[in-house]
Amino acid sequence: MNNTASVLVLVFLAITFIMSTHEKLFHWNDSMAWMKPHFENTILKNHVPLVTGILVFFEIITSILCLVGIVELYINGDRMFGFYGAVFSCITLLFMLFGQRLAKDFDGARTITIYFILGVLGVFWLS
């Protein structure tokens, strides 16, 4: 299969964002209990539920695009959905990076950078 690396990246990204969405949606109170203090000294302090909802929306779109992209690669070798899944993953990760930098959570930002590198590789391989 010529698309093995691309499929693996899309699977990784899909798992990442599906799990992240699951945690936020099904453990909303726990997520808010962690996020509100995390962002209390930032411009987001009064908007944590709203920006979390926006982030969840992007995570869902990213997950769907990655999953459809995997199927599309297997069925006909097309890359459109996978490409957009990788692009949306990078956009979503940039939102997360922005938040972590605002909160001065440099370890969290560093971790997001690792995911971002993989997302960019996906964009490159699927373009």
Side-chain angles (χ1 to χ4, degrees), residues 12 93 107-121:
F12 180 89
L93 290 164
D107 288 333
R110 189 174 314 120
T111 301
I112 291 167
T113 302
I114 296 167
Y115 289 93
F116 185 75
I117 291 167
L118 189 60
V120 170
L121 277 174

Side-chain angles (χ1 to χ4, degrees), residues 9-21 63 66-67:
V9 168
L10 289 173
V11 168
F12 180 89
L13 293 171
I15 290 169
T16 298
F17 289 107
I18 289 167
M19 294 303 297
S20 181
T21 300
S63 300
C66 288
L67 291 171

Side-chain angles (χ1 to χ4, degrees), residues 38 41 97:
H38 190 71
N41 296 321
L97 177 69

Side-chain angles (χ1 to χ4, degrees), residues 3 33 51 57 70 89 116:
N3 299 313
V51 294
F57 173 77
I70 293 164
S89 75
F116 185 75

